[in-house]
Amino acid sequence: MHRSRPRGRYSEGESEVIMEFLFNSLLELITQTSTNLPPDARAAMAKAVQSETPGTQSAQALNVIASNIDMAYDDEGPICQDTGMPTFLIRCPVGLNQIEFSQAIREAVVEATRRGKLRPNSVDSITGKNSGNNLGPGTPVIHFEQWEQDNIEVKLILKGGGCENKNIQYSVPCELDHLGRANRDLEGVKKCILHAVWQAQGLGCSPGALGVCVGGDRANGYTQAKYQLLRTLDDVNPDPALAKLEDEIMAEANELGVGAMGFGGQVTLIGCKITAANRLPACFFVSVAYDCWAFRRLGLLLDAQSGAIKQWLYRDPERPVARMTEGEGFPLTGREVVLEAPLTEEKVRALKVGDVVLINGPMVTGRDAMHSYMLKHDPPVDLNGAVLYHCGPVMLQEDGEWKVKAAGPTTSIREEPYEHEVIKRYGVRVVIGKGGMGPKTLAALEKHGAVYLNAIGGAAQYYARTVRKVTGVSLLEEMGVPEAMWQYDVKGFVAIVTMDAHGNSLHADILETTGEKLEELKPA
Ligand code: SF4
């Protein structure tokens, strides 16, 4: 590890001590990044809570998010169950042994996964098999750069799949929905960025933050866009033209009305950070990395001699962690509809878009692999009247019993090709997820008598606490932890009806109204 001595010059004992320090430092970085939102993201989310109109669905969602941030910190549990692709960016002195350093990162990742700070998230793209420990080709992502300093800087981003799926790259000139033609100038860039926010709706767990790269080639454009997420949300771009563009995007995107979770509201974006890279004469890309409110990014300065932590980055040691809420939990109004599962058709047909529900009783999880399975085989448990939750939880076995460590919703639209058939064949009455579903599911809800509920994306700690007991699990060995069908007994699971059994969809309505707003914002 020592930067000035070649590998192998340490005594065995010396080397072991250094690697132990380094391992502990990296494990602490992963744990803190997953469980404790950085101060700039906390401040941005606190402002969002203050800015939202009280009593609206977006305000309710932000309250749940605020509670969830506190709960994650209190229990050192993952803020969101999707702990993302661990992405490490390292600046190191010349001579650092990058092979040993990478090995220490991998060991820390495995241990963090074993402790439930990271969800097993590394899936073989050919076989579909989850490695179970977050190691595999391309996982974790590790980038090294050299610098003329004696210490080692390590930054970590944990960015989940829901927001990763909403990243977008534009090749301008291009035609954009509601905005028309985007040309190769800053006006065109601005159109692309506003379009990126609009197309994300609530699917990336808004309010979100953008990293943007103007120019570059396709691969580096995306890389540089992601690196912009390393800037603090409240900094000012040193380039006046880009600083102005960032301010304009923040103001105009927050006029769109997407709101928290896409429920409609005042706060759609908590940050926009833009850089520019030179491009080929023939190319002009605008690359946008969309990150969710669960903006998990921290860093360390390490002693290159010992691997010990010298300083935390993005944190002020003088300032304690600011709590997001006074109390705990979701402020109930008394107007919530209590649903006791399993449910009858009559009960769910009585629900309408906008109702807030509290679910008690049995609930099963199921996401991509399970939906695909259910089209070829009967489900592992009876789904008649069931509540089906799109969720890939973090689970740990303690004293021989399964415990839920994090259990927020996943993006539902991925199940759009399957869900109508699952509802029809098996009699599911309630589907829960985030971001809403499409026309096939909406038609099936109406025809067969079922509803779609939007839970609050990323509120993994909040929802984990609603599980009274894990009553079973199916296909764990075959599918891995996130994709298996977990059976829970829940109490007070809160969600909002966003697609009802009468053909109404809040998601379709918000897409339309925000599209109209986008047209109004179009430069003349
Ligand atoms: S908060 Fe939402 S988008 Fe972000 S990682 Fe969690 S589920 Fe994915």
Side-chain angles (χ1 to χ4, degrees):
M1 244 281 293
H2 191 288
R3 76 182 186 86
S4 58
R5 280 194 283 181
R7 195 174 177 219
R9 294 274 182 87
Y10 290 113
S11 70
E12 209 171 298
E14 247 185 331
S15 208
E16 270 173 25
V17 171
I18 291 169
M19 291 312 284
E20 179 77 20
F21 259 120
L22 181 59
F23 170 83
N24 287 333
S25 301
L26 293 168
L27 182 58
E28 187 60 11
L29 174 63
I30 297 167
T31 303
Q32 288 296 311
T33 309
S34 174
T35 63
N36 187 357
L37 211 61
D40 58 322
R42 280 174 181 272
M45 287 306 293
K47 194 171 158 204
V49 172
Q50 293 298 323
S51 311
E52 196 46 87
T53 311
T56 59
Q57 288 146 351
S58 266
Q60 288 172 314
L62 288 167
N63 276 324
V64 171
I65 288 170
S67 297
N68 184 76
I69 294 169
D70 286 343
M71 289 171 180
Y73 173 72
D74 291 344
D75 284 5
E76 218 179 56
I79 295 165
C80 175
Q81 78 289 337
D82 186 351
T83 53
M85 174 64 81
T87 303
F88 292 86
L89 302 123
I90 298 137
R91 293 200 283 180
C92 58
V94 175
L96 180 96
N97 187 327
Q98 297 183 6
I99 297 170
E100 283 183 0
F101 200 95
S102 299
Q103 183 56 24
I105 287 178
R106 283 193 285 272
E107 285 171 16
V109 163
V110 170
E111 180 59 17
T113 309
R114 195 187 67 76
R115 294 185 186 189
K117 309 303 178 190
L118 295 178
R119 186 177 72 179
N121 255 1
S122 179
V123 177
D124 185 308
S125 295
I126 308 304
T127 65
K129 184 96 180 145
N130 192 317
S131 71
N133 62 2
N134 272 313
L135 297 188
T139 319
V141 175
I142 305 173
H143 294 289
F144 284 98
E145 268 177 34
Q146 291 183 333
W147 67 352
E148 295 284 355
Q149 293 196 28
D150 289 335
N151 297 314
I152 305 168
E153 180 191 83
V154 189
K155 291 182 175 174
L156 171 61
I157 297 179
L158 299 176
K159 181 173 180 299
C163 52
E164 190 70 9
N165 280 335
K166 297 322 292 179
N167 290 356
I168 190 165
Q169 191 170 61
Y170 300 89
S171 176
V172 283
C174 57
E175 289 293 321
L176 300 170
D177 300 328
H178 302 292
L179 289 164
R181 186 179 172 85
N183 289 317
R184 291 182 165 191
D185 51 27
L186 275 188
E187 207 62 72
V189 170
K190 184 172 166 183
K191 283 185 179 180
C192 292
I193 301 172
L194 286 173
H195 184 269
V197 177
W198 175 75
Q199 61 89 40
Q201 291 288 304
L203 295 159
C205 290
S206 51
L210 306 181
V212 180
C213 178
V214 182
D217 64 6
R218 281 197 185 273
N220 195 40
Y222 262 138
T223 302
Q224 295 304 322
K226 196 164 190 177
Y227 284 5
Q228 283 298 293
L229 300 173
L230 296 171
R231 288 172 51 195
T232 50
L233 292 172
D234 54 0
D235 74 356
V236 176
N237 199 313
D239 180 322
L242 295 181
K244 179 167 174 282
L245 184 57
E246 288 176 0
D247 287 347
E248 287 173 4
I249 295 289
M250 286 300 291
E252 292 180 27
N254 281 318
E255 277 181 41
L256 274 181
V258 173
M261 292 301 123
F263 291 162
Q266 311 294 324
V267 190
T268 299
L269 215 54
I270 56 171
C272 177
K273 303 290 151 189
I274 308 173
T275 190
N278 280 14
R279 59 182 175 83
L280 294 167
C283 305
F284 196 124
F285 300 113
V286 179
S287 310
V288 182
Y290 186 101
D291 207 348
C292 51
W293 69 260
F295 191 84
R296 290 154 293 173
R297 172 263 287 127
L298 273 178
L300 291 174
L301 210 57
L302 297 178
D303 185 322
Q305 312 295 321
S306 68
I309 298 172
K310 288 187 89 169
Q311 187 191 326
W312 281 90
L313 307 176
Y314 303 110
R315 282 181 173 174
D316 180 352
E318 304 297 317
R319 283 172 52 195
V321 170
R323 289 193 78 73
M324 301 291 295
T325 54
E326 309 255 305
E328 186 178 290
F330 182 78
L332 298 178
T333 62
R335 293 191 301 275
E336 294 80 14
V337 182
V338 177
L339 298 178
E340 302 286 346
L343 290 147
T344 61
E345 179 175 350
E346 187 191 3
K347 188 80 185 172
V348 298
R349 283 205 186 272
L351 296 168
K352 56 187 188 319
V353 162
D355 285 344
V356 177
V357 303
L358 292 170
I359 301 170
N360 300 328
M363 173 183 288
V364 299
T365 67
R367 32 183 281 163
D368 311 45
M370 186 56 68
H371 277 76
S372 166
Y373 176 91
M374 287 193 289
L375 290 202
K376 299 181 203 112
H377 312 86
D378 284 342
V381 297
D382 182 8
L383 295 185
N384 202 19
V387 178
L388 174 59
Y389 184 24
H390 297 161
C391 169
V394 177
M395 304 290 298
L396 277 189
Q397 257 185 325
E398 291 172 353
D399 303 324
E401 274 192 41
W402 283 106
K403 292 278 159 42
V404 187
K405 294 294 169 184
T410 193
T411 311
S412 298
I413 197 69
R414 298 196 309 273
E415 318 315 338
E416 179 66 6
Y418 315 103
E419 205 69 89
H420 63 106
E421 204 51 40
V422 169
I423 292 167
K424 179 178 139 195
R425 280 193 209 174
Y426 306 123
V428 169
R429 292 280 173 222
V430 174
V431 176
I432 309 176
K434 72 173 172 84
M437 302 193 72
K440 278 188 185 169
T441 302
L442 188 62
L445 298 176
E446 187 169 17
K447 184 164 179 195
H448 305 291
V451 287
Y452 175 83
L453 310 181
N454 205 118
I456 310 307
Q461 292 303 313
Y462 187 86
Y463 286 116
R465 282 163 173 72
T466 67
V467 179
R468 289 186 288 205
K469 191 168 173 47
V470 180
T471 54
V473 59
S474 305
L475 299 172
L476 177 60
E477 188 58 32
E478 295 81 350
M479 295 186 181
V481 168
E483 302 282 345
M485 181 172 272
W486 294 93
Q487 291 119 50
Y488 298 151
D489 176 39
V490 302
K491 173 126 181 95
F493 186 108
V494 70
I496 296 171
V497 179
T498 53
M499 295 167 70
D500 63 22
H502 309 288
N504 304 306
S505 166
L506 178 71
H507 308 283
D509 293 349
I510 298 287
L511 188 70
E512 193 180 325
T513 56
T514 54
E516 287 164 7
K517 189 71 199 174
L518 201 55
E519 272 176 42
E520 282 174 32
L521 291 171
K522 179 167 67 176

